[in-house]
Amino acid sequence: MEYLDFELPIKELEEQLDKCVVLGKESDVDVTDTCKQLEKKLEKTKKEIYKNLTAWQRVQLSRHPSRPYTLDYIKAICGDSWLELHGDRNVKDDKAMIGGLGKIGDQTFMFIGQQKGYNTKTRQYRNFGMANPEGYRKALRLMKMAEKFGIPVVSLIDTPGAYPGIEAEERGQGEAIARNILEMTRLKVPIIVLIIGEGASGGALGIGVGDKVLMLENTWYSVISPESCSSILWRSWEYKEQAADALKLTAKDMKKLHLVDDIVKEPLGGAHANRELTFRTVEKEIMKTYEELKKLSPEKLVANRMEKYADMGVYSE
């Protein structure tokens, strides 16, 4: 278990509790009451810490190395029904963007999403979750396939941004993202978007247009990362915490600004603290949202989606 800096009080209490349990097993000393007191203190400390998280702390949780990634969700939810599809039929298969068919119960969905790696080797293989233009074109190909066969789309977002390399720009990174945004607004099947980790810039928007956009509790969604914002405004990364607050990038902020539709609650300690509970919660949210959207005709879906995004940023004094 890896701990973030603000989680160190939890780490100390868990270590004390472990020692207490070991002492009880290896000696005749009755430590039952002591263990119970430590458990209560640990629970209280967790609630206090996670109830008062700052924007920057939520950014840290969204990047936690133990946090589940896109394929973890898909495999847990779809099981053996998951069939990954590859390639954009133009350049190559982008490993940072995954997609394919999977079932929840008897309902088939087209899943797309960014995939990060678990160690140095797989992080390089997945390009740190930063898709190239062919990744966005693959996603669009799969969404168009889903539309052809009347299959709803589920988009899982977890990216530090689209890949900013020269070769990506040469192959039309901006055009690929813009094309996806355009095509997703008029796709004639339900689109459910879930932000499961980092939702940064155009990299997230390229697969982020949906009838319903949901955010897990400890995720962020913004045009720029706090570190990059800090380096632009203050010429230093030292002000990243201040930048995170100013950017209003948390799920609570996004909901308040009507930029996302709902917040999916995470287990105490974050999605990685109880992965199975997180998977089941996300599965229920997908099905609940789909049950609402499937009642609408394709024309109504598109009209509502267009209206939803046209209304963003509109305010009256």
Side-chain angles (χ1 to χ4, degrees), residues 30 83 89 138 164 181 200 212-214 219 254 274 296 301:
D30 186 3
L83 174 67
R89 302 295 186 268
K138 172 168 75 170
I181 293 171
K212 291 286 182 183
V213 180
L214 312 175
T219 61
M254 290 287 110
N274 189 337
L296 304 176
L301 275 173

Side-chain angles (χ1 to χ4, degrees), residues 70 96-99 111-115 129 131-132 135-141 143 153-159 176-182 184 191-196 198 200-213 221 309:
T70 297
M97 183 76 76
I98 60 104
F111 288 89
I112 56 172
Q114 292 100 352
Q115 176 66 26
N132 278 281
Y136 291 99
R137 289 173 182 137
K138 172 168 75 170
L140 180 58
R141 179 178 77 82
M143 287 187 280
V153 174
V154 175
S155 176
L156 303 174
I157 294 174
D158 186 12
T159 180
I177 291 171
R179 172 67 59 184
N180 277 24
I181 293 171
L182 171 64
M184 288 182 86
I191 307 173
I192 302 165
V193 177
L194 277 119
I195 299 162
I196 60 170
E198 299 184 271
S201 195
L205 281 177
I207 56 167
V209 177
D211 300 294
K212 291 286 182 183
V213 180
Y221 197 21
Y309 284 91

Side-chain angles (χ1 to χ4, degrees), residues 76-191:
I77 292 170
C78 301
D80 295 335
S81 70
W82 165 243
L83 174 67
E84 188 171 355
L85 302 171
H86 300 273
D88 71 333
R89 302 295 186 268
N90 188 19
V91 179
K92 63 178 181 179
D93 183 41
D94 189 343
K95 305 301 181 185
M97 183 76 76
I98 60 104
L101 297 164
K103 280 190 172 184
I104 302 178
D106 295 327
Q107 177 60 49
T108 300
F109 291 90
M110 180 66 80
F111 288 89
I112 56 172
Q114 292 100 352
Q115 176 66 26
K116 294 178 178 177
Y118 303 94
N119 52 41
T120 304
K121 188 175 180 180
T122 56
R123 281 171 192 144
Q124 289 177 328
Y125 178 72
R126 297 289 181 183
N127 200 32
F128 300 88
M130 296 186 291
N132 278 281
E134 51 270 24
Y136 291 99
R137 289 173 182 137
K138 172 168 75 170
L140 180 58
R141 179 178 77 82
L142 298 184
M143 287 187 280
K144 282 293 188 182
M145 183 192 294
E147 182 183 46
K148 181 179 179 180
F149 294 105
I151 298 169
V153 174
V154 175
S155 176
L156 303 174
I157 294 174
D158 186 12
T159 180
Y163 184 59
I166 293 173
E167 60 271 33
E169 298 299 337
E170 287 174 343
R171 293 196 298 274
Q173 185 72 285
E175 187 277 336
I177 291 171
R179 172 67 59 184
N180 277 24
I181 293 171
L182 171 64
E183 296 294 344
M184 288 182 86
T185 58
R186 58 192 187 190
L187 207 70
K188 293 176 182 176
V189 290
I191 307 173

